[in-house]
Amino acid sequence: MKPNTSAKRHSLRYLLASTVACIAAAPALAQSDETPDDVIVVTAQQRAQSSQDVPISLQVLDSEFIDAVAADDMGDLEAFVPGLDVSNGSPTQPRYSIRGITTSDFGVGTDPAVGIYVDGIYAARSGASLLAFNDIERIEVLKGPQGTLFGRNSAAGAVSIITREPSDELEGRVAVRIGSHNRMRTEAMLNLPITDTLAIRANFLSNKADGWLTDAVTGEDYRREDSSADRFTVRWNATPSTEILLRHSRDTIDQDARPAIGIVDIPAFPGTPPLPVDTTAFLDPFNAPVRNDVVFNREARNLAETTLTVRQDIGDMTLTSLTSYREFDTMNREDEDGTNRIDTYFDTNNVEDNEAFYQEFRLAGTTGTVDWLVGASYYDETAIQASETFTFTYTVNTVLGNVGAGTPFTDLEYGLLVPFGLPFSMLGHSWQETMSNQGEFTARAVYADMIWSATDRLNVSVGLRYTEDEKSFQWINGGRQADSLDQTLAALDGAGILALAGASPADFLFDFVFDLAPLAGVACDNGVNVAEGVACVMEDSWNNLSPRVVVDYQLTDNVMIYGSFSEGYKAGGYNSVEVGSRFENETVTSWEFGFKSDFLNPDLVFNMSAFSYVYEDKQSIRLVVPTGGGVPQYLVQTSDDEAIGVDIELDWQASDALRLRGNAQWLDSTHKRRVDSNGADLAGEPTGEPYWNVAFGADYVIDLDGGSDLTLQANHAYRGESRCNSQSVLQGTCGGYTAFATGEARNRTDLRARWTAPNGDLTVSAFVNNVFDNQYVGGVNNITASTLGTAFASISAPRVWGLEIGYDF
């Protein structure tokens, strides 16, 4: 179906009308000129402001909420932030999405569309963006393009994580959490003032748990966790007008990689799964046996970062300097076939080594009625990635037979070697292929932003950021590695045995995963053409202007209305497994209209906004099977998307004891222009995002005898059913099968009870997450379905419970 433009306009008019109606109704609530004590201060506009004064749709998650849902990282919070989606099945390769805008590729040639910032420092790569929560003050989730204030690669929005700074008081905390699957999480913090001007703060965290999936053959557990993190911060007030913050953090993961749950019934050896795959015969992933045989199943990350923040008051102005050096390495070797058979064995390993330097200077001040800031930033990154695949000649033979290229290994084995009793074998040899990449990336930016208080009630904000990106990217594929096979071939050739079969060792020097033959003749910028063993380099530069214009008006003392126009962009780049590829900048243009209101009688915060955006030149990586069959390839496809939506936020202190809160997003996201790899026109069809995401909860405090209290908390999150398009099932992300469904609506309910001692130093908490044990299929992975017939799936985590004891001093 083609896009119905008039229907889109009608829907947007309806949303705007609804917003206006709510604005008109809001002032009818009781008003007060008093200032609330629990104002939430945020830095969403690079300034310290009340969240209710910021004309941006944002959600703030404080440390209490993080504790309430026992969150270890952003992946544990996304269900409670409507519009935010974090896939953390592989913590070294997470994907972030805000308002349906995401980046599907984790290769180092591609940048994310959601910017992740820790204490103002940009975390560029997905391998460094999903960090352990230790000593977090708050998290700000900013929805919509943040190109002016936060810069490149925040086209969808930004997630700003703020850690606690050293204070002037001696304080500390020790907490131990135990729970299901032998969970043991320990955390310790010490804040120590050394002098009146010098203080340090140190935090240490360790988190371990057994797995909740069991191998049907070996009995080994999967989904085990083992991570640790620490942060050391020094704050020195060098002069009354100079503050210096030095932070060093470390984050380590060493645990199981994602297991593959095979959903295809495997016949007895030597039979192999039939092709094409019969999707009506898929097994239920919740009942299918888990059979993993990855030779070195491991996911690991070592990250270290040092940052220096200097704030210098210069009269009525403040100069801020942010300096950061980060380095990390990751590996993620995981099963890609869901079987324990050598003739269908296939695993992959993503290896990264990254170094990044960041420097920003920001000058802010107030001149008359204008609150302004200007800044400049520089970013330099070296990213090295190896996309490794591992298999055996058994599997290579199976694939070649399935794609109609013959079965050379078994032909030699059973047609010559076995009948004549020759002491050689063509089967069982390891086979590795590696695509190696290296990227050198540099970005420079200058920006300015001002908030003009035109009247006591009217503010006009104008901002602009100019960015230059320079990138150099290299691919090199040195051919397959199969040492024991090559030794066998050399021996057979030397004895004249291969000649009897009319073959030579050269016949077995081929790649079947990273086959560059279809790209032969593609020119590279370093004067060569794409070929095996040849380094292909592409070099590009891009620039961008990202503006924002916001008008906000204080309709009453308690109600602010606003309208904004903003743009964000994601830098161009390269597909790390498609040699010689390049793509241009992606841009998001957004309009937003809304209001923010807060009242003291009753104590109520009610915010709402309607938005629309157009996402141009979106690059999506898709698994594509070549025409006529063969090994599928991850290729980049370009499209334009568009969406309209509404964000709603409600926070009501109904009484001294009861607090209610709720957040919701309604989104209608469709393709404006997209032609699938099969030639299907998807214009006007849904992108896969659900209409509704809703989260709500309640806290109830019971005062006990002796001065202690008991807090009961409940939180529920709902994600609507994914809206499929005609190609969704091919990607395994949306649609129904006989035994199960993907993309179905999701519900999660968490409960927590916390007892606090009279003086507040001791807390004892019990919690249950996912109370009703709702589990869902994460999607069908077809990476080996067309060649081995081995489709597999993943499932979400089951119910977990725990007990936490914390002592503060």
Side-chain angles (χ1 to χ4, degrees):
M1 179 181 292
K2 300 298 181 184
N4 188 329
T5 307
S6 63
K8 283 276 188 180
R9 287 197 294 263
H10 176 78
S11 297
L12 184 56
R13 286 198 299 269
Y14 176 79
L15 294 175
L16 294 176
S18 300
T19 304
V20 172
C22 290
I23 294 172
L29 296 168
Q31 301 177 12
S32 171
D33 294 330
E34 298 179 34
T35 301
D37 296 327
D38 57 349
V39 171
I40 300 174
V41 177
V42 297
T43 52
Q45 296 192 112
Q46 309 293 13
R47 308 161 172 89
Q49 299 172 284
S50 164
S51 62
Q52 288 300 103
D53 292 336
V54 178
I56 296 175
S57 181
L58 77 156
Q59 186 171 341
V60 182
L61 306 168
D62 59 18
S63 58
E64 290 188 8
F65 186 81
I66 293 172
D67 291 340
V69 296
D72 293 321
D73 55 45
M74 280 302 302
D76 297 324
L77 289 177
E78 53 97 19
F80 302 103
V81 184
L84 173 68
D85 186 34
V86 183
S87 59
N88 65 334
S90 294
T92 64
Q93 297 170 262
R95 294 186 178 94
Y96 287 80
S97 171
I98 291 181
R99 288 179 172 174
I101 298 176
T102 187
T103 297
S104 57
D105 183 11
F106 56 82
V108 297
T110 304
D111 291 309
V114 177
I116 310 298
Y117 299 82
V118 181
D119 294 320
I121 305 298
Y122 174 54
R125 295 291 146 214
S126 63
S129 65
L130 194 70
L131 304 179
F133 285 161
N134 57 322
D135 214 19
I136 302 298
E137 179 177 322
R138 70 182 184 278
I139 299 169
E140 302 173 13
V141 180
L142 288 71
K143 302 175 183 179
Q146 304 298 322
T148 301
L149 294 172
F150 283 85
R152 57 199 267 281
N153 306 333
S154 56
V159 177
S160 179
I161 301 172
I162 294 92
T163 65
R164 296 187 186 278
E165 297 181 2
S167 67
D168 295 327
E169 302 293 330
L170 174 64
E171 59 178 318
R173 175 174 173 79
V174 178
V176 177
R177 181 188 302 166
I178 60 174
S180 51
H181 314 300
N182 291 321
R183 168 79 61 187
M184 175 61 73
R185 184 183 189 273
T186 57
E187 184 175 5
M189 182 276 293
L190 177 65
N191 187 94
L192 182 64
I194 306 299
T195 68
D196 291 342
T197 61
L198 183 66
I200 61 174
R201 190 179 185 97
N203 180 276
F204 306 91
L205 172 69
S206 174
N207 190 22
K208 297 182 179 181
D210 291 343
W212 46 269
L213 283 173
T214 302
D215 193 289
V217 178
T218 66
E220 186 175 4
D221 285 343
Y222 298 121
R223 284 300 193 187
R224 290 167 292 198
E225 299 178 35
D226 190 349
S227 63
S228 62
D230 56 66
R231 182 179 295 107
F232 185 81
T233 307
V234 179
R235 191 205 71 207
W236 178 34
N237 294 327
T239 72
S241 59
T242 307
E243 180 186 63
I244 299 174
L245 280 168
L246 179 63
R247 297 180 175 95
H248 180 75
S249 60
R250 179 192 61 86
D251 192 292
T252 301
I253 294 174
D254 192 353
Q255 61 189 43
D256 294 333
R258 179 267 301 148
I261 303 175
I263 54 175
V264 176
D265 194 14
I266 308 297
F269 185 85
T272 57
L275 285 175
V277 173
D278 182 4
T279 59
T280 64
F282 276 170
L283 305 176
D284 183 351
F286 296 104
N287 299 319
V290 179
R291 299 188 181 101
N292 271 19
D293 58 352
V294 177
V295 173
F296 188 49
N297 178 24
R298 183 186 180 211
E299 183 168 17
R301 176 182 65 207
N302 292 294
L303 180 147
E305 181 175 19
T306 301
T307 65
L308 176 66
T309 304
V310 180
R311 303 185 185 106
Q312 176 68 53
D313 291 335
I314 307 172
D316 294 334
M317 301 181 297
T318 299
L319 176 65
T320 302
S321 170
L322 297 173
T323 308
S324 168
Y325 175 75
R326 174 193 293 119
E327 59 181 355
F328 70 87
D329 57 77
T330 72
M331 69 161 293
N332 182 26
R333 187 167 180 177
E334 58 190 17
D335 188 22
E336 303 287 7
D337 60 88
T339 74
N340 63 342
R341 293 258 297 265
I342 194 172
D343 58 336
T344 54
Y345 182 98
F346 189 71
D347 78 63
T348 62
N349 188 18
N350 181 69
V351 182
E352 293 186 37
D353 190 351
N354 185 284
E355 295 182 5
F357 172 79
Y358 181 76
Q359 176 64 56
E360 180 177 357
F361 294 103
R362 184 187 307 149
L363 184 64
T366 301
T367 303
T369 59
V370 178
D371 181 343
W372 56 267
L373 66 86
V374 295
S377 65
Y378 173 79
Y379 177 79
D380 184 81
E381 177 188 8
T382 299
I384 300 173
Q385 181 180 38
S387 301
E388 302 175 341
T389 65
F390 300 88
T391 188
F392 295 93
T393 51
Y394 260 118
T395 302
V396 177
N397 194 77
T398 302
V399 171
L400 294 176
N402 285 340
V403 300
T407 53
F409 294 93
T410 53
D411 289 349
L412 278 173
E413 183 82 6
Y414 298 112
L416 188 62
L417 302 183
V418 172
F420 289 95
L422 298 175
F424 301 100
S425 178
M426 294 293 291
L427 301 172
H429 300 287
S430 64
W431 181 294
Q432 177 180 344
E433 296 181 29
T434 303
M435 179 68 73
S436 298
N437 306 115
Q438 179 168 335
E440 301 288 343
F441 312 131
T442 301
R444 305 173 185 85
V446 293
Y447 62 93
D449 190 81
M450 72 169 195
I451 303 175
W452 172 42
S453 299
T455 70
D456 291 342
R457 293 184 177 272
L458 176 65
N459 294 318
V460 179
S461 303
V462 179
L464 185 68
R465 180 183 293 254
Y466 174 76
T467 306
E468 290 183 346
D469 273 292
E470 294 181 359
K471 294 188 176 185
S472 173
F473 196 74
Q474 174 182 284
W475 298 261
I476 185 168
N477 178 31
R480 63 104 176 110
Q481 295 175 282
D483 294 341
S484 64
L485 172 64
D486 289 338
Q487 292 169 9
T488 299
L489 290 170
L492 292 174
D493 188 49
I497 298 172
L498 279 182
L500 293 176
S504 71
D507 295 330
F508 298 88
L509 292 174
F510 59 86
D511 284 359
F512 83 105
V513 177
F514 299 123
D515 180 13
L516 301 187
L519 299 173
V522 173
C524 306
D525 290 347
N526 57 331
V528 302
N529 292 336
V530 174
E532 290 281 359
V534 175
C536 174
V537 178
M538 291 293 193
E539 296 181 342
D540 290 280
S541 63
W542 298 274
N543 58 70
N544 175 264
L545 281 172
S546 293
R548 80 166 188 140
V549 179
V550 186
V551 177
D552 66 83
Y553 183 76
Q554 201 70 33
L555 194 63
T556 72
D557 291 342
N558 306 88
V559 180
M560 176 188 73
I561 59 175
Y562 67 91
S564 70
F565 167 81
S566 61
E567 287 189 356
Y569 101 104
K570 181 181 137 182
Y574 316 90
N575 179 359
S576 60
V577 294
E578 186 180 356
V579 182
S581 65
R582 55 162 45 112
F583 50 84
E584 298 301 316
N585 289 345
E586 305 172 30
T587 59
V588 177
T589 303
S590 177
W591 293 86
E592 184 167 332
F593 302 91
F595 72 90
K596 293 192 172 186
S597 62
D598 61 277
F599 308 91
L600 289 181
N601 185 23
D603 191 344
L604 174 69
V605 170
F606 179 40
N607 303 328
M608 183 174 178
S609 67
F611 62 87
S612 68
Y613 68 74
V614 176
Y615 189 177
E616 295 183 313
D617 296 322
K618 175 184 177 182
Q619 309 296 325
S620 301
I621 188 169
R622 290 289 184 267
L623 196 64
V624 177
V625 178
T627 303
V631 177
Q633 303 290 327
Y634 282 108
L635 302 179
V636 169
Q637 298 171 347
T638 304
S639 67
D640 295 340
D641 294 348
E642 60 183 351
I644 59 173
V646 172
D647 281 318
I648 303 171
E649 179 184 7
L650 176 69
D651 194 329
W652 179 27
Q653 190 71 46
S655 68
D656 291 340
L658 178 63
R659 179 185 178 187
L660 303 174
R661 57 186 173 274
N663 291 273
Q665 177 183 273
W666 180 87
L667 180 71
D668 181 9
S669 174
T670 58
H671 294 298
K672 184 178 181 181
R673 174 187 63 86
R674 182 180 171 191
V675 177
D676 195 81
S677 59
N678 296 324
D681 187 355
L682 304 185
E685 294 195 30
T687 62
E689 294 299 312
Y691 278 126
W692 282 104
N693 283 276
V694 180
F696 55 88
D699 301 347
Y700 189 76
V701 181
I702 303 173
D703 293 326
L704 303 176
D705 294 339
S708 63
D709 63 62
L710 178 66
T711 302
L712 305 178
Q713 299 173 316
N715 294 290
H716 182 81
Y718 167 80
R719 176 182 171 85
E721 182 180 8
S722 297
R723 300 171 59 210
C724 303
N725 59 51
S726 59
Q727 301 298 307
S728 299
V729 175
L730 296 179
Q731 298 299 326
T733 58
C734 187
Y737 303 93
T738 303
F740 62 92
T742 59
E744 60 184 327
R746 299 189 175 200
N747 286 277
R748 171 179 161 180
T749 304
D750 293 359
L751 299 177
R752 185 181 183 92
R754 182 184 67 217
W755 175 81
T756 305
N759 59 3
D761 58 352
L762 178 66
T763 59
V764 180
S765 303
F767 66 88
V768 182
N769 289 350
N770 190 15
V771 173
F772 301 105
D773 201 22
N774 294 320
Q775 289 184 269
Y776 305 95
V777 179
V780 174
N781 194 314
N782 291 311
I783 186 171
T784 56
S786 63
T787 52
L788 294 172
T790 50
F792 60 91
S794 60
I795 59 176
S796 61
R799 174 176 51 232
V800 297
W801 57 268
L803 177 69
E804 182 171 296
I805 301 176
Y807 180 71
D808 296 86
F809 59 90

